[in-house]
Amino acid sequence: MLLSKGFEVEMYTGTPEGEIVGLSDRIVADLEGFVTEPDSRNVEYTTPPLCSYDRLLCALVQPRQKLRAYLQRLGNYTIIPGSTLSLGGSDRFYRSDPNNPYHGYIEQTYGTKVVTASIHINIGINDPELLMRACRLVRVEAPLYLALSASSPFIDGQATGNHSSRWATFPKTPSYVPLFQSHKHFIQWTEEQLVLGTMQNVRHLWSSVRPNGNRRPYDLNRLELRICDLIVDPIALLAITALLEARIWQLMADPSLDPLERSSLPANTRAEDLIALTEANEAAAAHQSLDAQLRHWEDGRVIRAGEWIAEIYQEVYAIAKKRGFSCFLSPLQKILREGNTSQQWLKLHSQTSDTHSVITQAIQAMADQERELEDKLCQPLVA
């Protein structure tokens, strides 16, 4: 039996020429399974928690096909890849619900820094102390998942110098989130933030990873990895998810993989030092993704992000193979070999300096891939 997995997928809508157009109010009104974000230019759908990677693949592709068909009925509209307003529009917020006070707070406090598209990966873990241990490990390794997923090198038609412009500018909230040492610690900390006003509500915890559940912070049942840029290639997304799941299985078999136990950083300041190291790694990964020079949480040694990922891949491959999902993990090697989305886009950009053509090519490639996947994989499964 595998762990349950589900995705929250945020995407922009717009024209085949790359202009992002706010349509979420109409989409949500007419299509089941889609919800609005504070800005109307992106829309979100959620896959149900599933253990099977095959079923998860179809749960990713089929809502997009439904959305594409709907967008075509509205006009010449499509889905736009990338995690930032790549070709323009970052100067203005387009409210999806002008009467929602929380949306008003977000617009006034953060502006278009939060108008991004991303993937949140949820892994089911019911034991709250195991969940906290998993969150600690995934928190210190979250920069690696950002490095694999980076897809936002442009804002307003310009290369920003960052591979993940989204995470480089996203307002992590509250500004300091500790490594939670227990479920009790998480409850106490959350209650304190709500009193202080650093969190407006229990959802207002925008860190790279967080414990999640039906009644936060008390009733928890999943780990939510929030750092990833939008990954439009479903095969790549499943590979990154497989790495995350295999790492959690490894932790369950060896609880000493807990950073608070395994790290050789000084014991009396370890928790704080790990956060400082991780935040520096997040910034480096947002800047150079797979080529970023990071510091390893175990001993502080410097290691390139891609090499660190390759090391973990070697550690967990046998675990994935034993549990029957190594075929979904193996496409990770292609990302390490050929680069993530940002690296591929920047390579094209270096040849033409034409951001518009890079994005329009990516829009078409995304549509072609989804059509191919649905034709080849999903129909037999549905039947």
Side-chain angles (χ1 to χ4, degrees), residues 147-148 236 239-240 290 331-340 343:
L148 286 164
I240 293 168
L290 292 170
L332 206 68
Q333 297 283 30
K334 182 181 179 184
I335 303 174
L336 295 176
R337 187 173 61 249
E338 298 181 5
N340 57 40
Q343 290 172 312

Side-chain angles (χ1 to χ4, degrees), residues 277-293:
L277 178 151
T278 300
E279 289 183 346
N281 283 348
E282 285 186 16
H287 182 46
Q288 289 188 300
S289 65
L290 292 170
D291 289 327
Q293 294 293 318

Side-chain angles (χ1 to χ4, degrees), residues 315-368:
E315 286 184 41
V316 303
Y317 185 82
I319 295 168
K321 188 170 184 179
K322 180 181 176 182
R323 295 192 173 271
F325 65 94
S326 59
C327 62
F328 291 97
L329 176 63
S330 57
L332 206 68
Q333 297 283 30
K334 182 181 179 184
I335 303 174
L336 295 176
R337 187 173 61 249
E338 298 181 5
N340 57 40
T341 297
S342 276
Q343 290 172 312
Q344 293 178 20
W345 285 3
L346 287 169
K347 185 177 180 181
L348 285 172
H349 189 259
S350 70
Q351 297 164 2
T352 66
S353 298
D354 184 357
T355 310
H356 182 267
S357 69
V358 173
I359 296 301
T360 53
Q361 286 178 52
I363 290 168
Q364 187 58 52
M366 178 186 179
D368 292 344

Side-chain angles (χ1 to χ4, degrees), residues 154-215:
F154 309 125
I155 294 179
D156 292 339
Q158 301 297 316
T160 66
N162 291 309
H163 290 193
S164 175
S165 304
R166 166 185 161 268
W167 198 251
T169 58
F170 195 84
K172 276 73 80 175
T173 304
S175 58
Y176 184 84
V177 179
L179 277 184
F180 299 114
Q181 301 186 26
S182 64
H183 186 202
K184 182 180 179 182
H185 180 203
F186 177 58
I187 292 172
Q188 291 174 338
W189 180 86
T190 303
E191 290 175 342
E192 183 179 315
Q193 303 313 303
L194 293 171
V195 170
L196 292 172
T198 57
M199 289 170 56
Q200 296 296 300
N201 52 54
V202 294
R203 293 177 294 133
H204 195 207
L205 171 52
W206 297 345
S207 59
S208 59
V209 60
R210 70 182 182 189
N212 207 340
N214 298 324
R215 198 169 67 90

Side-chain angles (χ1 to χ4, degrees), residues 65 104 138-139 165-166 170 218 232 235 237 245 251 272 303 311 332 334 361:
Q65 293 295 90
V138 177
R139 176 83 181 275
S165 304
R166 166 185 161 268
F170 195 84
Y218 312 104
V232 298
I235 303 298
L237 174 55
E245 176 171 7
L251 174 68
E272 294 79 11
I303 183 170
E311 284 185 4
L332 206 68
K334 182 181 179 184
Q361 286 178 52

